[in-house]
Each structure stands twice: as structure tokens, then as C-alpha cells.
């Protein structure tokens, strides 16, 4: 749930790329700070066992979550 917060950045990035909108430096800094702040609030203190299978599942989960965020950002700008 922490990485889902990257949807904000993905939406802003898609707005810049697709709609040719410009984002001021202050707006970009605000988006990054908001995303990082929400991620820090949602982080849990998980201790993993260090198994290689758990690392592979974590990697797949991160890739899937970032893909979902990118698709959601694109869809919200495109429609």
C-alpha cells in the first residue's frame, strides 16, 4: 500500500507528457513531499525472514504495484 502512493507522481508525469502541461518547481517538490510523507505514514515495521523466495515475491509485488500506479495515472489523464 506504500507504493500505491506513487499514483500521484504517475498522474502528474502523464499530465506533463500527454497534455504538454508544465509543472512549476514548487508543484513538483510539493508532489514529491506529499508522496514521501504518505509513504512514511503507511510504512510498517516488517521483519522478513531473509529467504530468497520472499525477496522474489517482494520484487514481483513492487513491479506489479508500480505498473498499476503507472496505468492508473495514464488512465486518469487520458480520459
Amino acid at each position: 500500500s506504500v507504493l500505491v502512493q506513487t499514483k500521484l507522481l504517475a498522474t502528474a508525469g502523464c499530465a506533463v507528457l500527454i497534455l504538454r502541461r508544465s509543472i512549476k518547481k514548487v508543484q513538483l517538490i510539493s508532489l514529491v513531499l506529499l508522496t514521501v510523507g504518505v509513504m512514511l505514514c503507511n510504512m510498517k515495521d516488517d521483519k522478513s525472514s531473509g529467504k530468497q523466495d520472499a525477496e522474489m515475491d517482494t520484487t514481483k509485488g513492487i513491479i506489479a504495484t508500480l505498473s498499476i500506479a503507472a496505468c492508473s495515472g495514464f488512465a486518469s489523464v487520458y480520459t
Side-chain angles (χ1 to χ4, degrees):
S1 89
V2 174
L3 290 175
V4 173
Q5 304 309 320
T6 57
K7 281 197 281 187
L8 291 170
L9 295 175
T11 303
C14 287
V16 169
L17 294 174
I18 295 172
L19 301 177
R20 307 264 189 229
R21 296 190 68 194
S22 62
I23 292 181
K24 296 177 186 176
K25 190 175 183 178
V26 174
Q27 291 173 321
L28 181 62
I29 292 170
S30 298
L31 281 170
V32 170
L33 287 176
L34 177 65
T35 303
V36 169
V38 172
M39 285 180 171
L40 289 175
C41 289
N42 287 334
M43 279 182 25
K44 295 180 182 176
D45 195 21
D46 291 336
K47 303 229 177 187
S48 60
S49 60
K51 293 183 179 179
Q52 190 173 8
D53 291 337
E55 288 181 15
M56 184 60 97
D57 288 340
T58 302
T59 304
K60 287 180 183 178
I62 289 172
I63 291 171
T65 304
L66 291 176
S67 299
I68 290 168
C71 291
S72 175
F74 175 76
S76 64
V77 170
Y78 189 74
T79 56

